[in-house]
Amino acid sequence: MGRPSRRAATAAIETHIAVLKGEPLKAALATALRDAEGLGGQERRFVALAARELSRHTRLLDLAARQLGHSPGKHVLTEDQALVRYTLWRRLFCGEAWARIGPEVKLPGPVRPRTLHDAVLEGLVTKPLAEPPAAEGAEAVVERLATRYSFPGWLTQRLSQVYPEATLAGLMASLDEEPSLHFRARPPGTRDAVLAALAEEGVAAEAVPCAPDALRVADASHRIFESRTMKGRRLQVQDVGSQLIVLACLPPGASLTGLAVADVCAGAGGKTLGLADLVGAKGKVLAGDRSKRRLSDARDRVREFGLKQVAFPHPVPLDAVDVVLVDAPCSGTGSLAREPDQKWKLSAKAISEFQATQSALLAEVAAQVKPGARIVYATCSVLPEENDAVVEGFLAKHPGFALEPVGEGWAPELQVGVDGPFLRALPPRVPGGGFFAARLVRKAG
């Protein structure tokens, strides 16, 4: 959790104020940490956690505020709203009393201007909270889940139409938690050796069985980032579902060694690195992205890992490759644990716009690939509009392509993320974020 302090509280609240004013959480947090003076490592860790938690639990915190007579609509100042949420978060999620919270939020700080007196904030901590009345019926289930896990009502309603209640509750609970760090051991197939090397350095880690090279660290001190194993490039931070998407690029019963692969939405290069390890020194990965800034990050990572088999041609010659990964722009509903502010920025209209972009991108790629080539369409969304519907719509318009099941030939422990012909990595069944992938092959002739 890190170490709370008055300065750390100030940075966390300032981050949330910036988010409420429309700034992305990642950017707001980076600014607050840069501007904060004298924060130690544990304080910075607390700031990052608190900032994410305030966005993560917004709905539940606002419900508690309303019960205590401080509805968000009553606050004239954004600063007041952020102070109320922070105070209630420290009470409800950290279990702290006013004796601990007070020094963090009392006047003359941590933020100005404000209209709330110290006595008001103390009341938020000391006044009793009543349990909300129990309700029954389908609508009550949606309301209960939306409140408990702080999701927008429209999104909870849509998810309830897709997943059974037990599955939905587990999914929402996972997306409402601070995510664990997962790593990929490299080169492929060396996870046991990497785990042994970490153990020698005193870092407690364990294998994640549903991906062949995945592991997680049980040590919360983050010593792994200072380990010789990490500095020796034997590890890459990567979500388990993301690793499975890379694995889905493997042709059934074959390997990518020596093949040419394109990553057309490479972003910051996470999957590009995984593909490079699979094709080996004799293969080729051609990476591209419409965002020059993100592609610059990918170039830096490729250079850092010393991968000579990755190139960044523009445009990427898709007719010359065997596999194309289309990690399409999406709503990110499977990544809300890492970017909790995004769930309050989404809308049904935005989902429709993503779907149109995804369909157009898939059609654009399909027009360029050679016969026998495979397209792996992937998202970090848990909504069928961006997953199944896009694939089914594509196949209906492109009879020259066929759906090839993902997971064919995979070991039984890897099948936990497979759902029919698709990869559907849903937490908590597959730890980490929620991911989807489908594999399409262009027919010969």
Side-chain angles (χ1 to χ4, degrees):
M1 180 174 177
R3 185 171 72 83
S5 68
R6 188 178 183 81
R7 290 182 302 178
T10 300
I13 295 170
E14 286 179 344
T15 300
H16 192 58
I17 292 168
V19 169
L20 292 175
K21 292 180 178 179
E23 192 171 347
L25 192 153
K26 282 186 177 179
L29 178 59
T31 299
L33 289 175
R34 185 185 66 236
D35 294 345
E37 296 182 358
L39 288 181
Q42 289 297 312
E43 288 175 304
R44 295 172 68 87
R45 191 171 172 185
F46 173 84
V47 173
L49 171 65
R52 287 190 292 268
E53 288 277 278
L54 294 180
S55 287
R56 185 173 288 135
H57 304 303
T58 289
R59 183 168 179 150
L60 192 58
L61 294 172
D62 287 353
L63 172 62
R66 284 194 297 272
Q67 289 184 350
L68 294 168
H70 291 279
S71 171
K74 286 186 175 182
H75 301 306
V76 177
L77 298 176
T78 306
E79 286 80 0
D80 291 341
Q81 189 176 349
L83 271 169
V84 167
R85 285 181 182 167
Y86 177 85
T87 301
L88 286 170
W89 173 70
R90 292 288 281 142
R91 172 189 178 176
L92 299 177
F93 288 88
C94 304
E96 299 291 357
W98 179 246
R100 184 66 180 268
I101 303 171
E104 299 170 17
V105 297
K106 283 181 180 179
L107 288 167
V111 292
R112 305 292 290 273
R114 62 188 274 189
T115 66
L116 299 177
H117 299 294
D118 291 346
V120 173
L121 297 179
E122 183 176 3
L124 292 173
V125 179
T126 56
K127 290 179 181 177
L129 270 170
E131 285 288 331
E136 298 180 357
E139 290 186 3
V141 169
V142 170
E143 178 68 20
R144 174 172 53 80
L145 291 174
T147 301
R148 172 64 185 84
Y149 300 114
S150 280
F151 268 63
W154 73 268
L155 181 55
T156 309
Q157 178 67 43
R158 180 66 191 103
L159 291 171
S160 72
Q161 297 166 354
V162 179
Y163 302 104
E165 183 179 347
T167 302
L168 178 57
L171 172 63
M172 293 177 72
S174 298
L175 296 177
D176 193 47
E177 296 174 346
E178 184 72 3
S180 300
L181 270 178
H182 291 94
F183 298 81
R184 179 178 66 86
R186 48 188 311 274
T190 63
R191 179 169 63 184
D192 289 345
V194 168
L195 287 170
L198 288 172
E200 286 183 7
E201 295 190 68
V203 178
E206 60 186 6
V208 177
C210 52
D213 298 307
L215 60 93
R216 62 175 155 243
V217 177
D219 187 344
S221 69
H222 286 198
R223 286 186 302 152
I224 188 170
F225 291 101
E226 300 302 320
S227 67
R228 294 187 301 275
T229 307
M230 191 76 185
K231 292 180 178 179
R233 310 302 176 216
R234 298 295 306 280
L235 286 168
Q236 175 196 343
V237 177
Q238 190 173 34
D239 229 327
V240 178
S242 184
Q243 295 182 45
L244 290 173
I245 287 174
V246 172
L247 194 64
C249 293
L250 290 170
S255 73
L256 287 178
T257 304
L259 296 183
V261 181
D263 185 0
V264 296
C265 300
K271 297 180 184 68
T272 304
L273 299 181
L275 290 169
D277 282 342
L278 286 180
V279 303
K282 294 183 179 180
K284 200 73 176 175
V285 177
L286 308 178
D289 196 278
R290 292 177 179 176
S291 169
K292 292 182 179 180
R293 178 188 58 81
R294 298 189 73 199
L295 199 59
S296 175
D297 293 340
R299 292 177 188 273
D300 291 341
R301 295 182 77 184
V302 166
R303 193 178 303 113
E304 177 187 348
F305 278 80
L307 297 171
K308 305 296 184 183
Q309 63 269 47
V310 180
F312 297 87
H314 181 73
V316 177
L318 299 183
D319 58 349
V321 301
D322 305 290
V323 181
V324 181
L325 173 60
V326 182
D327 188 15
C330 71
S331 63
T333 48
S335 302
L336 293 177
R338 297 200 184 281
E339 299 184 78
D341 59 315
Q342 293 303 309
K343 60 185 169 184
W344 308 113
K345 299 176 182 179
L346 285 174
S347 66
K349 180 182 177 183
I351 301 300
S352 296
E353 292 171 350
F354 277 120
Q355 185 184 41
T357 299
Q358 293 152 358
S359 298
L361 178 58
L362 193 51
E364 179 185 337
V365 169
Q368 301 176 61
V369 298
K370 64 186 180 182
R374 290 173 172 81
I375 300 173
V376 175
Y377 171 77
T379 74
C380 55
S381 172
V382 296
L383 292 169
E385 292 93 323
E386 302 179 89
N387 298 334
D388 313 53
V390 171
V391 173
E392 291 163 4
F394 171 82
L395 290 172
K397 295 179 180 179
H398 297 80
F401 284 80
L403 183 64
E404 189 175 71
V406 171
E408 188 176 322
W410 287 12
E413 62 270 19
L414 307 184
Q415 296 288 335
V416 67
V418 176
D419 179 22
F422 303 125
L423 170 69
R424 206 184 308 274
L426 293 177
R429 185 178 60 190
V430 175
F435 295 85
F436 171 89
R439 192 163 57 210
L440 304 158
V441 60
R442 184 164 193 172
K443 303 173 186 176

